[in-house]
Amino acid sequence: MSYPRRFATAPLAETPEAPDGLTATVPRQLVHRASVAETFLTGMNRVAPDRFTVFAEWPRAHQLHVSPDRSAYEPLLVAETVRQAGTLLAHTAYDVPLGHQFVLRELRISTRPERLAVGTTPAEPVLHLTVTDVDHRGARTAGFRYEADVRLDGERVATAHVAAGWTSAAVYRRLRGGRSAASVSPLPPPPGLPPAVVDRALPTDVVLAPGGQPDRWRLRVDTGHAVFFDHPLDHVPGMLLLEATRQAVRARTASDRRTPVSFRALFHRYTELDLPAWIEASGAAGAHGADVQVVGQQGETTVFECEVGTVGG
């Protein structure tokens, strides 16, 4: 079974491969995006039963995922691209229905920032993915793990490992106790840190607010944010939590401007929109080259934790 390079297949009808030089994004629904502008994948091939090549395009300018001076792609753009790739595979190669909910359980990513420079044209990364540990519930795929080798012009720029699950809309409603995007009333976002402290250009992109203690901040959640809340959600998305991690490292290391280049994140439970959440950072020499530990909490519960590897300057 093979897939033409520049389009997505089932559950959509197959389409002849586009002529050379023409590229379109995959259908946005297949990567759980409402905006075509936030859809980074352009197609895929299946090269073996559980091995795939996924194609993407990165814009030269982006509100979040390109550095403020437009010189470099952010590591979290790689993370979002890898996330989208897993969603695309689930729907097109593993028969996960479009109505099912995506559950991110673990994300590990390591990048080579020296190879993430923005060029004179949009970058076209190629992701080589291997799916492992496929979990089934009856006849349906309920989850899997996958490894990603991300390359630009043949050079490796990142590697990643993701564990994700899938649940039907009915099961998700039961798990969430009836909570939905329509029924949950998000807390108003508090005033954020100065954008320069977290290396952001716009106040609207700041996701941390002062927390009253050193290296502790309140999570600032704006459900009107066009990237994090590309569509309505009943909980804080994982990519916002990773951005909070990035900003916490920037704020904690403001004096020597450490730059996050690797993330090892575990997501333990949903972070709710109608309860305050707190982000704490500490120095921690991890076993995988990490030097900062970031933890997210709501009440007495740890909702996520992430080991971050950084480089100076």
Side-chain angles (χ1 to χ4, degrees):
M1 182 177 182
S2 63
Y3 295 95
R5 173 173 172 170
R6 293 297 187 187
F7 64 93
T9 57
L12 303 182
E14 293 196 5
T15 305
E17 186 170 3
D20 289 344
L22 296 181
T23 299
T25 62
V26 302
R28 53 194 169 84
Q29 295 90 341
L30 294 178
V31 296
H32 294 195
R33 280 302 195 179
S35 171
V36 172
E38 296 301 324
T39 302
F40 300 126
L41 305 187
T42 59
M44 79 172 192
N45 288 333
R46 190 172 203 162
V47 298
D50 292 305
R51 292 177 53 227
F52 306 84
T53 303
V54 175
F55 305 91
E57 183 179 270
W58 290 341
R60 297 172 64 201
H62 189 274
Q63 180 177 347
L64 285 177
H65 296 319
V66 174
S67 61
D69 64 2
R70 298 187 179 181
S71 67
Y73 293 111
E74 294 273 359
L76 292 187
L77 174 58
V78 184
E80 171 61 13
T81 305
V82 169
R83 182 204 67 79
Q84 290 189 15
T87 305
L88 177 66
L89 295 188
H91 291 312
T92 60
Y94 291 90
D95 299 322
V96 174
L98 279 174
H100 277 40
Q101 297 290 324
F102 173 79
V103 182
L104 180 61
R105 295 175 176 142
E106 180 180 358
L107 186 147
R108 306 196 304 258
I109 185 166
S110 178
T111 66
R112 301 175 67 183
E114 72 276 9
R115 299 202 179 272
L116 290 174
V118 175
T120 57
T121 59
E124 294 189 340
V126 177
L127 290 72
H128 301 281
L129 278 76
T130 301
V131 175
T132 62
D133 300 327
V134 180
D135 181 27
H136 291 91
R137 295 291 184 272
R140 294 287 190 191
T141 299
F144 52 47
R145 292 179 177 269
Y146 59 98
E147 308 281 347
D149 178 18
V150 185
R151 294 178 177 260
L152 279 174
D153 299 321
E155 297 283 346
R156 177 177 291 142
V157 299
T159 58
H161 175 95
V162 178
W166 306 89
T167 184
S168 70
V171 171
Y172 183 77
R173 284 193 297 271
R174 290 198 296 271
L175 289 174
R176 299 292 288 143
R179 296 170 71 88
S180 68
S183 66
V184 172
S185 298
L187 297 177
L193 297 175
V197 171
V198 294
D199 193 31
R200 283 299 177 206
L202 301 175
T204 52
D205 293 335
V206 176
V207 300
L208 297 181
Q213 299 178 24
D215 297 339
R216 185 175 190 264
W217 305 271
R218 168 122 174 241
L219 184 65
R220 182 179 183 275
V221 181
D222 177 8
T223 57
H225 196 283
V227 176
F228 296 126
F229 291 89
D230 162 82
H231 56 281
L233 295 169
D234 67 338
H235 61 275
V236 179
M239 288 303 299
L240 192 153
L241 297 176
L242 289 174
E243 174 63 23
T245 298
R246 174 199 171 278
Q247 292 189 17
V249 172
R250 284 298 204 176
R252 184 179 188 274
T253 63
S255 59
D256 59 355
R257 304 306 291 174
R258 305 292 296 179
T259 299
V261 297
S262 68
F263 299 80
R264 296 177 64 88
L266 293 172
F267 301 89
H268 299 300
R269 60 178 300 168
Y270 293 106
T271 305
E272 305 295 354
L273 295 171
D274 54 358
L275 297 172
W278 303 91
I279 306 297
E280 297 184 0
S282 60
H288 308 283
D291 52 293
V292 180
Q293 174 80 20
V294 177
V295 175
Q297 291 187 301
Q298 275 191 321
E300 300 300 317
T301 301
T302 297
V303 290
F304 84 98
E305 53 190 323
C306 186
E307 295 179 359
V308 185
T310 71
V311 296

